[in-house]
Amino acid sequence: MAGIVSEESVLGKSVEGISSGQHYHSGEALAEWRSSEQVENGITSTSPPYWDTDDEEDCGLKPSELYGKHTWKIEKFSQISKRELRSNAFEIGGYKWYILIYPQGCDVCNHLSLFLCVANHDKFLPGWSHFAQFTIAIANKDPKKSKHSDTLHRFWKKEHDWGWKKFMELSKVYDGFVDTSDNLIIKAQVQVIREKSDRPFRCLDRQYRRELVRVYLTNVEQICRRFVEERRSKLRKLIEDKARWSSFFAFWGGIDQNSRRHMSREKTDVILKVIVKHFFIEKEVTSTLVMDSLYSGLKALEGQTKGKKGRVNLLGAEEMPAPIVHVENNMFVLVDDVSLLLERAATEPLPPKDEKGPQNRTKDGNSGEDFDNDSMQHDEMRLTELGRRTLEIFVLVHVFSNKIEVAYREAVALKRQEELIREEEAASQAESEKRAKRRVNDREKKSKKKQVWLAHIEILLSRDL
C-alpha cells in the first residue's frame, strides 16, 4: 500500500513559518550546507563553561529536557494519492505533536507543504499556548544538500499548525530526496521555550544550538553590532559636542565620590528586564540565539567579577579588553570613572567581523572531527563575547542615560533656573534703581521749579516796593 510510514522519536535560516491556513514566507534561504548528521554523531564538547551551563537557580525543566527529535520515513512516496498525510503523534517538551505533509501542496501548486502541528489541540483549556522553535528537514542522499527550514512560533487555538506551504518545489523532490527505495525521510527538531521576562535566559539544547549557530551566527553578530554601533554613535555625538561635553565634565567633576558611586550602579533586575524586552522578538528566529548569547555573556561578566580567570580566558584567543562593568551583589557597577568609560566605549573598536562565517567555513581546507570541534568552539566563544560586549554597552548607556545624565540635566536645569532668578533679581534691582533715580530727578525738577517760582515772586515784590 502506498504511503507506508515508519517513525522514530528521540527526546532530549532566517525564515518564518506559516499556518496551513495563512500566508506564505519563503523557506529557501540559509541551509545550503548544514548537515544535521554532523550534529547527531555525538561530537565531543569543547564549549567554554559559560556557554554550556544552564541557570543553576532555575528549578524548572532545562532546555535539554524540553528538546527532542522525530524521524518520519514515508515509504513508497511516489505512490501516495492522498491530499495530506500525518505522522504519528510524538511527545517533546511535555506536549504532543505531529507532522503534516501535503505531497501536492496546500493551496499552492508545484510545491510540497510541511507543517508542525499540536496534537489534540481541541481538548486544551481556553487560553493555552505552546512556544517553540523548530526545524523541519527533508533528508537528501548527500547530507549537505538536505533541505532545512527553521522558525519560532507561539502555538495557540487559532495557530495550532505552523510551517511552510512552499517548503520545496516538487520538481526537486526526486533530486536525491526520495531514495532508490522510494522513501522520503522527514526529520523534525522541536525546542519548547520557557521564556523569562526578568533576565536573559537559556533557550536551546546544546546540540540544537550548535546547529543553529553555524547557520545564524552572522545574523546574531549583525544584531549585536547594530545595537552597539547605534549606542556608540550617540556617545560620539555627545563627546564631539565640545560645549555640552565640557559642561558635563564640569558637573561630574564637582560631585563628591559617594554620589558618583551611587549614580554609577544599578540593580541587575532593573536592567536585565529592559534587555530582554529589547532583544527578545517573538517572531524572529534568531531571538533564541541572541538570548543564549546574552545569557552566556552575563555569566562571563559574573565570572570576571569573581575572578574566574580560567573560564574568562576560554572566551577567546585574543586578549580581552578591560571590562566596563562588574556584577556585585545583584548590582551592575561601572568599573571606572564614567567620563573615561564613555570615551572608551565611543572610540574602542569592536572585534573584527568574522569573515569566515558559517556559510563558507567548509571551504578553508579543514575536515573531520578536529575541524568541527575547532569551528564550534570558535563560534560559541564568539557568541559569548558578543553577548558580553553587548551587555556592557547596554549597561553603560542605561546607567548614564537613566541616572547620571538625568542628574546632569537636573543640575543644568537648576543652574539655569538660578541664573534666571538672578537675572530677574538684577532686572528688578535695575528697575528699582531706575525708579529711585526718576524720583530724585522729579524732586530736583520740582525743587528747581519752586526756586524759579520763588525767585519770580521776589522779583515781582521788589518791583512793587
Side-chain angles (χ1 to χ4, degrees):
M1 182 176 67
I4 297 173
V5 300
S6 60
E7 307 189 35
E8 176 185 356
S9 295
V10 180
L11 293 177
K13 69 198 222 178
S14 60
V15 290
E16 290 290 338
I18 62 167
S19 169
S20 58
Q22 296 191 8
H23 299 291
Y24 165 73
H25 298 272
S26 173
E28 293 284 330
L30 291 173
E32 290 181 1
W33 73 274
R34 180 178 61 182
S35 167
S36 60
E37 279 74 10
Q38 291 176 313
V39 174
E40 294 170 358
N41 285 337
I43 298 167
T44 303
S45 171
T46 58
S47 305
Y50 297 128
W51 188 256
D52 282 343
T53 55
D54 292 323
D55 191 347
E56 297 173 357
E57 298 178 0
D58 188 351
C59 298
L61 293 175
K62 308 301 182 186
S64 59
E65 299 170 303
L66 297 169
Y67 168 79
K69 304 176 184 179
H70 183 77
T71 299
W72 181 22
K73 183 169 73 171
I74 305 175
E75 299 177 355
K76 298 182 180 179
F77 179 78
S78 63
Q79 300 179 36
I80 293 175
S81 58
K82 294 181 179 180
R83 180 176 181 268
E84 65 179 63
L85 198 64
R86 297 186 179 192
S87 73
N88 292 333
F90 53 92
E91 185 171 340
I92 294 176
Y95 307 123
K96 289 189 176 182
W97 314 83
Y98 66 87
I99 301 169
L100 177 63
I101 182 173
Y102 291 82
Q104 300 299 320
C106 174
D107 301 329
V108 295
C109 297
N110 303 318
H111 283 80
L112 182 149
S113 304
L114 267 175
F115 302 90
L116 179 69
C117 311
V118 177
N120 303 321
H121 62 86
D122 54 337
K123 297 180 180 180
F124 293 154
L125 294 174
W128 71 271
S129 70
H130 305 340
F131 190 42
Q133 181 150 358
F134 65 93
T135 298
I136 292 183
I138 297 182
N140 191 290
K141 62 182 180 181
D142 180 355
K144 292 183 179 181
K145 293 182 179 179
S146 295
K147 176 69 171 67
H148 297 74
S149 288
D150 314 293
T151 192
L152 184 65
H153 181 63
R154 185 177 298 281
F155 294 84
W156 61 294
K157 180 180 178 180
K158 293 185 178 181
E159 293 180 351
H160 52 80
D161 57 348
W162 199 255
W164 299 266
K165 287 187 176 182
K166 294 184 178 181
F167 187 88
M168 180 186 294
E169 294 180 20
L170 290 177
S171 60
K172 296 181 180 179
V173 171
Y174 293 94
D175 186 14
F177 293 96
V178 176
D179 63 23
T180 55
S181 299
D182 200 19
N183 299 322
L184 184 74
I185 297 176
I186 300 174
K187 297 184 177 184
Q189 299 181 76
V190 181
Q191 175 73 69
V192 175
I193 307 294
R194 292 176 61 237
E195 317 114 283
K196 293 182 180 179
S197 60
D198 59 337
R199 62 193 296 112
F201 53 94
R202 175 73 78 210
C203 295
L204 302 170
D205 169 79
R206 181 176 65 183
Q207 294 289 9
Y208 188 37
R209 180 179 66 246
R210 285 176 168 179
E211 181 177 339
L212 294 174
V213 163
R214 287 185 294 172
V215 179
Y216 295 109
L217 176 60
T218 301
N219 303 65
V220 175
E221 185 165 2
Q222 288 173 350
I223 291 169
C224 293
R225 282 183 173 276
R226 183 166 58 247
F227 169 80
V228 171
E229 288 296 348
E230 287 174 356
R231 290 339 185 245
R232 290 179 63 190
S233 176
K234 292 180 180 179
L235 294 179
R236 283 194 292 267
K237 288 180 181 179
L238 166 64
I239 295 170
E240 290 168 0
D241 186 340
K242 300 301 182 183
R244 187 181 173 197
W245 183 243
S246 176
S247 172
F248 170 75
F249 206 81
F251 155 78
W252 190 245
I255 295 179
D256 63 88
Q257 289 296 326
N258 286 334
S259 296
R260 286 191 188 187
R261 281 194 293 268
H262 177 73
M263 284 190 284
S264 297
R265 59 184 60 214
E266 182 59 280
K267 293 180 180 178
T268 54
D269 57 357
V270 171
I271 294 181
L272 293 178
K273 286 179 182 178
V274 182
I275 288 176
V276 173
K277 186 176 181 180
H278 181 91
F279 285 102
F280 193 72
I281 302 171
E282 193 168 293
K283 291 294 185 181
E284 291 291 337
V285 72
T286 53
S287 289
T288 51
L289 282 175
V290 173
M291 277 297 104
D292 273 22
S293 173
L294 294 171
Y295 173 87
S296 299
L298 177 60
K299 292 299 180 183
L301 282 177
E302 293 172 345
Q304 281 182 310
T305 302
K306 295 175 183 177
K308 297 179 181 177
K309 296 181 180 179
R311 286 188 169 188
V312 172
N313 289 338
L314 283 171
L315 292 177
E318 301 171 358
E319 183 178 352
M320 289 177 59
I324 292 175
V325 176
H326 280 165
V327 185
E328 300 175 2
N329 300 320
N330 297 318
M331 299 283 288
F332 283 119
V333 182
L334 302 185
V335 300
D336 204 346
D337 184 272
V338 69
S339 59
L340 299 177
L341 294 179
L342 291 173
E343 290 178 338
R344 250 191 68 193
T347 58
E348 188 174 78
L350 289 171
K353 291 183 179 180
D354 187 5
E355 299 299 333
K356 293 199 301 182
Q359 294 294 315
N360 61 14
R361 187 164 288 152
T362 54
K363 298 178 182 179
D364 69 353
N366 290 322
S367 62
E369 184 176 337
D370 290 340
F371 164 72
D372 286 336
N373 286 337
D374 290 344
S375 63
M376 286 190 297
Q377 185 178 26
H378 172 88
D379 292 346
E380 292 181 353
M381 290 189 301
R382 190 166 190 85
L383 210 59
T384 299
E385 178 62 6
L386 282 171
R388 187 187 72 84
R389 294 291 292 274
T390 302
L391 271 170
E392 284 197 316
I393 295 297
F394 197 106
V395 172
L396 174 63
V397 173
H398 180 96
V399 170
F400 175 71
S401 300
N402 291 275
K403 300 191 75 173
I404 298 173
E405 190 174 29
V406 169
Y408 165 66
R409 290 182 182 277
E410 289 176 350
V412 169
L414 180 61
K415 182 179 179 181
R416 180 56 183 157
Q417 186 178 26
E418 290 173 347
E419 290 174 349
L420 289 173
I421 291 173
R422 286 195 294 270
E423 288 174 1
E424 290 177 357
E425 290 176 345
S428 178
Q429 179 67 24
E431 183 63 25
S432 297
E433 291 175 354
K434 190 175 181 180
R435 286 197 298 268
K437 189 174 182 180
R438 281 201 300 267
R439 286 194 295 269
V440 170
N441 290 336
D442 290 343
R443 284 197 296 268
E444 288 177 352
K445 287 179 181 179
K446 288 180 181 180
S447 176
K448 288 180 180 180
K449 286 182 179 179
K450 185 176 181 179
Q451 290 175 359
V452 169
W453 182 76
L454 290 172
H456 181 69
I457 294 297
E458 288 178 358
I459 291 172
L460 290 175
L461 291 173
S462 63
R463 287 178 178 175
D464 293 339
L465 293 174

